Amino acid sequence: MKETVKNLITDALKRAKNEGVLILESTPDIVIEEPKDEKLGDFATTLAMQLARPEKKNPKLIAEIICGFLNDGVDLISSAEVAGPGFINIKMSGDFFLNGLREAIRLGSGFGQSDIGGKKKVLVEFVSANPTGPLHVGHGRGAAVGHALSCLLKKAGYDVSTEYYINDVGNQMNNLGRSTWMRYKERLGKHAVFPEDGYQGDYIKDIAQEIIDKDGSSHLDKKDEDALTYFRQYSKDSILDGIRNDLKEFRVEFDRWFSEASLDEDDSVNKSIHWLREKGFVYDKDGATWVKTSQFKDDADRVIIKQGGERTYFCSDIAYHKNKVDRGYDLILDLWGADHHGYVPRMQSVLEAMGYSQDVFKVLLVQFVTLKRGGQKVSMSTRSGEFETLADVVAEVGVDATRFFFLMRSSDSHLDFDLDLAKKESPENPVYYIQYAHARVCSVFRTAEEQGVPAPNLDSADLSLLREEEEFALMKKILTYPACIEKSAQSQEIHRIAFYLQELVSIFHSYYKQHRVVTDNRELTLARLLLLDCLRNVIASGLNILGVSAPEKM
RNA sequence: GCCCCCGUAGCUCAGCAGGAUAGAGCACCGGAUUCCUAAUCCGGGGGCCGUGCGUUCGAAUCGCGCCGGGGGCACCA
């Protein structure tokens, strides 16, 4: 839409130049904005102010010249006026919006699809919680944001894949295995020393019980080492199944689950270290092996192999990220919890050392979630195992509300998640406000059908019958949907979609109150239905990006 | 000490590739239903945009300092 306006202005500038009224040595970048106050016009540009210097003219005068050309014989513009210090305010004609609406209707559910992504291959990695316990609310936010962002990027024309990285190697897995093993022994009345840094949660006891139910006490005869191998594997699989299931319930699925262990199978961890060593980025000190990240963005070198010969998490992460880049993605997007922010420079540093472009890897930090109940913070201590799991929250407030609450705030802001509010099936709850609009539109269509009004289409309905102010307000908002998609995708800010939907739907509710859609006037009814059909598409499309359902009835 | 995020209405937050009188929801007060869903709509009050300085014709928006809140600074993951 703005593009069209831009073209009209560019055209006006050309004519001004041809007639010698403006010099225009270089074509300026024309920025189209929407005035805060609608009464001023549909669009505005500060172009004249920008041109003041190069043209050596008063901005107001330049604005007047440009307005002259815009007002002269441009059908789509109804008026162009100078305001204030040199703003150009433009009102568009009804046809301009009706044309836009026709195009939106023609595109149907494809409306909003953009190609700014240029089919660039993007890999979005998110959640990637360690398989040592169930997902908590923090992971939930990451899951919702990651998934919604993937949908958004697809809609914006990127070629998106999603991935979950499973840290199924190392100390924590041993710890997990030992924790379950000890709980198992405890339950069977044997002497057991629970590891000091073991996993405390009740889910460990549940897994131990599962094994008892399945295998009885047969593992007691095993050597410690053999038992551990079994308990480690079993616990990991069990927890991972739980995670997969929680995510599925939360409507989040991944294209690929990438196991850290698989990086050993093809020796790629060692290969990465070797490669870095050959290039001189790796050295040995104090019995450990270090990588020279401080040569790049990091403020210290980092250990990749500990004194005991064990690898750090960072070590395999290097191989994993190299693997991701080598798979040919144009952009690697990682969503991390904000507590990992200190980890960003070292990852960037290693990729830089490896000679990859600095633009290929980007981390989005998702800030913390504070759960509130009755105005009180809900404590979330993982150690004691009394944290709120994602599954608990979903069970309490439902998938739609949970997802929406995670997505309605900028992800780099801390989030206060008010459980009482999210749970309410009442007007204070913003999810229902949007969903209700969709249901309402569907209801109008049911009424129309009952009254024998056929489904409208561009041939049967005459859109020029739409003349109400509120109808144009609705059209205008609908038509900014593609721009909203693009801006959200470019800035990777999913909350913009949530805000857009609330604004869009608010205009609809207001329109609905003032004008009846299904009336005796068949022609007008068809035109209004077609407008609402388009609206319904946009709401459904936006909600779909957020992973929130668009109900036909409420 | 260093690093990241945040500070805007009573509360939760938008706005921040500088622009016209700073917005929304909730809460509060007052109204609206013979008719397609009142989970809705309309109206009202409410703001030194944390603070100081700087850049600019113009700053909530950009830069620096300070204050306040959250988080992070492992041979943990």
Side-chain angles (χ1 to χ4, degrees):
Chain A
M1 204 161 54
K2 282 186 183 172
E3 210 51 38
T4 312
V5 180
K6 207 165 163 177
N7 290 338
L8 292 173
I9 294 174
T10 309
D11 189 55
L13 288 178
K14 268 185 202 155
R15 282 182 287 147
K17 189 177 182 178
N18 287 343
E19 294 190 16
V21 212
L22 290 177
I23 308 164
L24 292 172
E25 281 179 356
S26 58
T27 340
D29 191 25
I30 304 171
V31 180
I32 307 293
E33 40 197 58
E34 284 152 66
K36 283 184 180 165
D37 189 347
E38 268 180 60
K39 282 172 221 142
L40 294 172
D42 298 311
F43 299 102
T45 178
T46 55
L47 179 64
M49 281 127 105
Q50 291 166 45
L51 283 174
R53 195 171 295 226
E55 293 290 328
K56 299 198 178 86
K57 276 195 178 91
N58 181 326
K60 267 187 132 161
L61 183 66
I62 298 172
E64 269 162 29
I65 294 170
I66 297 171
C67 283
F69 283 96
L70 286 174
N71 282 320
D72 179 27
V74 182
D75 292 343
L76 296 174
I77 292 178
S78 84
S79 76
E81 283 168 2
V82 187
F87 290 99
I88 298 175
N89 290 331
I90 304 168
K91 278 201 170 71
M92 307 306 292
S93 68
D95 278 344
F96 172 78
F97 296 111
L98 290 173
N99 287 348
L101 181 62
R102 274 185 206 104
E103 179 65 6
I105 291 163
R106 203 182 55 74
L107 290 167
S109 57
F111 178 61
Q113 180 67 44
S114 160
D115 57 7
I116 51 157
K119 297 205 171 76
K120 265 175 51 177
K121 289 186 66 178
V122 182
L123 180 63
V124 186
E125 184 218 319
F126 57 107
V127 189
S128 300
N130 297 335
T132 55
L135 297 177
H136 59 248
V137 266
H139 297 126
R141 188 178 192 190
V145 171
H147 184 238
L149 209 51
S150 308
C151 296
L152 172 66
L153 291 174
K154 277 179 200 163
K155 190 84 181 168
Y158 292 87
D159 179 2
V160 183
S161 306
T162 56
E163 194 158 298
Y164 185 119
Y165 180 56
I166 311 165
N167 298 118
D168 49 4
V169 174
N171 240 334
Q172 48 161 0
M173 283 297 109
N174 293 329
N175 199 345
L176 173 68
R178 181 158 291 117
S179 301
T180 318
W181 173 222
M182 290 305 139
R183 291 295 185 219
Y184 174 85
K185 284 166 79 170
E186 265 174 24
R187 294 239 150 171
L188 293 171
K190 296 289 170 192
H191 173 70
V193 184
F194 194 76
E196 212 172 284
D197 51 354
Y199 294 96
Q200 299 280 350
D202 285 343
Y203 60 93
I204 297 291
K205 294 176 188 164
D206 296 342
I207 296 170
Q209 188 60 47
E210 254 177 63
I211 297 175
I212 294 171
D213 295 344
K214 195 168 64 76
D215 301 338
S217 61
S218 63
H219 298 289
L220 289 176
D221 310 331
K222 287 184 181 169
K223 278 191 287 181
D224 226 39
E225 204 174 303
D226 294 338
L228 266 178
T229 305
Y230 177 83
F231 277 79
R232 195 169 51 207
Q233 182 71 31
Y234 189 95
S235 308
K236 185 204 80 186
D237 289 345
S238 166
I239 289 173
L240 210 48
D241 277 350
I243 288 175
R244 270 183 232 266
N245 191 52
D246 286 353
L247 287 170
K248 202 174 173 192
E249 292 291 312
F250 199 47
R251 305 190 195 123
V252 173
E253 302 205 24
F254 290 88
D255 295 322
R256 182 167 177 181
W257 294 71
F258 194 105
S259 154
E260 180 183 351
S262 73
L263 289 168
D264 268 328
E265 287 158 19
D266 60 2
D267 211 30
S268 44
V269 179
N270 287 329
K271 281 180 192 160
S272 300
I273 299 171
H274 190 72
W275 190 92
L276 284 168
R277 194 182 280 279
E278 280 197 332
K279 297 284 175 184
F281 294 122
V282 168
Y283 63 94
D284 298 304
K285 193 183 94 182
D286 305 333
T289 303
W290 300 67
V291 62
K292 292 181 181 172
T293 46
S294 67
Q295 273 191 16
F296 302 92
K297 293 194 169 66
D298 209 357
D299 38 271
D301 290 345
R302 303 295 169 180
V303 169
I304 48 175
I305 299 174
K306 303 182 220 173
Q307 270 180 355
E310 212 178 325
R311 294 190 312 229
T312 61
Y313 172 83
F314 181 47
C315 183
S316 33
D317 223 17
I318 292 171
Y320 175 50
H321 280 81
K322 176 171 164 46
N323 174 298
K324 290 206 278 192
V325 184
D326 287 346
R327 272 187 266 157
Y329 291 102
D330 301 305
L331 177 65
I332 308 292
L333 266 185
D334 281 19
L335 273 81
W336 296 353
D339 53 337
H340 286 63
H341 93 268
Y343 200 84
V344 178
R346 73 182 74 168
M347 201 66 244
Q348 286 173 332
S349 297
V350 162
L351 289 171
E352 206 179 320
M354 287 176 158
Y356 295 115
S357 154
Q358 292 183 43
D359 304 329
V360 80
F361 173 64
K362 183 167 178 187
V363 178
L364 297 178
L365 294 172
V366 179
Q367 295 292 329
F368 278 26
V369 178
T370 306
L371 282 181
K372 287 195 171 166
R373 197 192 297 275
Q376 295 288 314
K377 279 188 184 178
V378 178
S379 119
M380 281 194 286
S381 154
T382 319
R383 281 201 77 74
S384 55
E386 58 182 65
F387 52 81
E388 289 276 340
T389 64
L390 172 63
D392 287 344
V393 173
V394 168
E396 189 172 336
V397 309
V399 177
D400 284 337
T402 308
R403 287 195 63 132
F404 192 84
F405 271 66
F406 281 146
L407 298 171
M408 69 191 217
R409 300 282 178 245
S410 158
S411 45
D412 51 28
S413 282
H414 295 229
L415 176 72
D416 272 6
F417 193 118
D418 186 336
L419 285 164
D420 298 321
L421 175 60
K423 210 164 33 176
K424 268 188 198 164
E425 294 195 9
S426 66
E428 305 107 279
N429 194 333
V431 200
Y432 298 111
Y433 186 69
I434 296 167
Q435 290 185 316
Y436 182 62
H438 188 267
R440 225 176 189 185
V441 174
C442 291
S443 162
V444 173
F445 272 86
R446 282 192 293 272
T447 306
E449 204 182 329
E450 280 162 22
Q451 300 192 8
V453 182
N457 57 51
L458 281 172
D459 295 323
S460 68
D462 177 9
L463 292 177
S464 67
L465 296 171
L466 301 175
R467 284 171 193 153
E468 301 292 343
E469 198 182 312
E470 293 79 7
E471 284 162 346
F472 278 100
L474 193 51
M475 268 180 239
K476 269 185 80 169
K477 194 67 188 178
I478 287 172
L479 294 177
T480 59
Y481 182 57
C484 173
I485 295 286
E486 291 181 357
K487 195 167 182 189
S488 309
Q490 278 173 327
S491 56
Q492 283 134 13
E493 292 175 322
I494 194 67
H495 70 281
R496 289 174 182 278
I497 304 292
F499 274 90
Y500 170 83
L501 285 174
Q502 288 184 86
E503 288 162 10
L504 172 69
V505 149
S506 155
I507 296 169
F508 161 69
H509 281 311
S510 178
Y511 168 61
Y512 178 89
K513 195 71 186 175
Q514 288 176 73
H515 303 285
R516 222 187 129 78
V517 175
V518 183
T519 60
D520 294 340
N521 183 338
R522 178 58 64 92
E523 296 299 310
L524 186 59
T525 300
L526 283 172
R528 288 183 171 171
L529 280 175
L530 196 52
L531 172 62
L532 289 204
D533 192 35
C534 188
L535 169 71
R536 178 165 61 174
N537 258 326
V538 175
I539 299 173
S541 166
L543 285 176
N544 184 48
I545 288 171
L546 301 182
V548 175
S549 68
E552 298 195 356
K553 272 184 188 172
M554 284 175 77

